[in-house]
Amino acid sequence: MGIQDAYVLGPPTPQGAVDLFRGEWASRLPDELGAEAGEAGLFDDVRVEWAIDAFGPVTGADILELGPLEGGHTFGLLRAGAASVTAVEAAPRAWLRCLVAKELLGMDGASFLLGGADAYLEQAERRFDVGWCSGLLYHLDDPARLLVRLASLTDRLFIWTHVYDPEVVAADADLATQFDGSVRTIDVGGTKVDLHRHDYQHATASDAFCGGDRPDSWWLTREGLLAVLQRCGFADASIGLDHRDHPNGAALAIAATRTGPVLPPAAAGYPPGQQASPSSRRGVAALPSPTAMAGLQVEVAQLQDRLAAIEATRTWRLHSFITRNLARVRRRLARLRDRTSASGT
């Protein structure tokens, strides 16, 4: 690749900026841009309209958004009259796509911050009019921890998330392979709820992956989610967009308004600096699946073969893409091996 290949020498266009992340966009950008990106309609999303109908206007509101992905809901909230949206995104390339969208769409009221949502909440020194958490809880190791910390900073909450529903999982063969039956029971200020282990399997090897930073996550049930919200002082919760037939598992939206006192995170069992670790987890320990490890080993071999072929033809851009994927798969395989070794099996 020559130095000139690193420049964009044509006239500036929205498509040129979008193409910096060609193949990685999840969202379909507003039609007025005339730029092709992803397919998901997050910049014109019914969830924003539903939430505002459920808990009232956001005109003039300062909103904290966790996990904006590419800024679709940020755009919708600003268009609905929000004064500002502070959006915290942990995935560096998703954060960069947020900055592209902000520039192209003139989202002057948005502030996109690169970092972990839970870490941000732990050190936050201000309250917000609305807390917005869409598409994040089911990617976490302890979704209750984030909920407790977010709920302590606001009196209005919007949540959209997948939840563990045993009937839905049992009825879907693909979904059933993602849950191995591991359960953790946690105590949230005296309220006990169960978390169910979900395995991303091979999805993390893709450049388009937009999940969590671990090979697995832990899902709340619908009942557990509502119980945590009630314990945090949000007994007034409207439920909508309730889809048990969602292709990725049962999902629902919740718009909640505070009815009770703030639950301090420390009183809920989440003191400052508290982070879950495998050694401190309660419940059934989840060991790496031999099938998952074998699948990753096959994927490593396939990527190595492709890399050798690319090196022979000196196709350097594709070489870089495959190299990144290979590194990702090797890191995941190493993590699984470490967990297996630590378990003594």
Side-chain angles (χ1 to χ4, degrees), residues 49-68:
E49 181 180 352
W50 179 87
I52 293 171
D53 286 343
F55 61 34
V58 296
T59 306
D62 292 319
I63 298 175
L64 174 61
E65 181 185 8
L66 304 179

Side-chain angles (χ1 to χ4, degrees), residues 67-110:
L69 183 58
E70 292 159 350
H73 286 185
T74 318
F75 176 74
L77 292 166
L78 291 170
R79 188 171 52 180
S84 70
V85 180
T86 300
V88 184
E89 176 58 55
R93 294 183 72 80
W95 176 72
L96 289 170
R97 295 197 297 277
C98 285
L99 298 185
V100 171
K102 177 181 178 178
E103 179 66 25
L104 293 179
L105 295 168
M107 290 191 276
D108 294 336

Side-chain angles (χ1 to χ4, degrees), residues 221-294:
T221 63
R222 170 196 300 260
E223 296 77 16
L225 173 57
L226 293 173
V228 172
L229 287 175
Q230 184 167 358
R231 183 66 185 88
C232 290
F234 288 85
D236 181 9
S238 299
I239 298 176
L241 308 178
D242 195 352
H243 301 301
R244 298 184 77 228
D245 59 350
H246 191 288
N248 296 323
L252 73 161
I254 297 175
T257 303
R258 181 174 299 284
T259 56
V262 171
L263 175 66
Y270 299 112
Q274 191 273 349
Q275 298 288 332
S277 64
S279 60
S280 66
R281 291 176 182 167
R282 289 162 288 184
V284 180
L287 296 178
S289 161
T291 302
M293 291 184 68

Side-chain angles (χ1 to χ4, degrees), residues 254-331:
I254 297 175
T257 303
R258 181 174 299 284
T259 56
V262 171
L263 175 66
Y270 299 112
Q274 191 273 349
Q275 298 288 332
S277 64
S279 60
S280 66
R281 291 176 182 167
R282 289 162 288 184
V284 180
L287 296 178
S289 161
T291 302
M293 291 184 68
L296 285 173
Q297 289 171 328
V298 169
E299 194 166 352
V300 166
Q302 292 172 339
L303 288 169
Q304 285 175 326
D305 288 345
R306 291 182 66 189
L307 194 57
I310 289 165
E311 288 172 340
T313 59
R314 310 186 82 81
T315 310
W316 294 114
R317 288 184 180 179
L318 188 55
H319 177 279
S320 177
F321 172 77
I322 297 297
T323 300
R324 291 197 306 272
N325 272 352
L326 180 57
R328 264 193 211 96
V329 176
R330 281 174 169 161
R331 285 196 299 271

Side-chain angles (χ1 to χ4, degrees), residues 179-264:
F179 292 90
D180 62 5
S182 297
V183 180
R184 287 162 50 201
T185 300
I186 60 173
D187 188 316
V188 182
T191 297
K192 288 183 168 54
V193 294
D194 288 341
L195 302 177
H196 298 261
R197 181 179 179 272
H198 167 262
D199 192 324
Y200 287 114
Q201 300 180 324
H202 301 307
T204 56
S206 169
D207 273 352
F209 177 70
C210 52
D213 63 342
R214 302 166 47 84
D216 60 4
S217 60
W218 294 80
W219 288 23
L220 285 159
T221 63
R222 170 196 300 260
E223 296 77 16
L225 173 57
L226 293 173
V228 172
L229 287 175
Q230 184 167 358
R231 183 66 185 88
C232 290
F234 288 85
D236 181 9
S238 299
I239 298 176
L241 308 178
D242 195 352
H243 301 301
R244 298 184 77 228
D245 59 350
H246 191 288
N248 296 323
L252 73 161
I254 297 175
T257 303
R258 181 174 299 284
T259 56
V262 171
L263 175 66

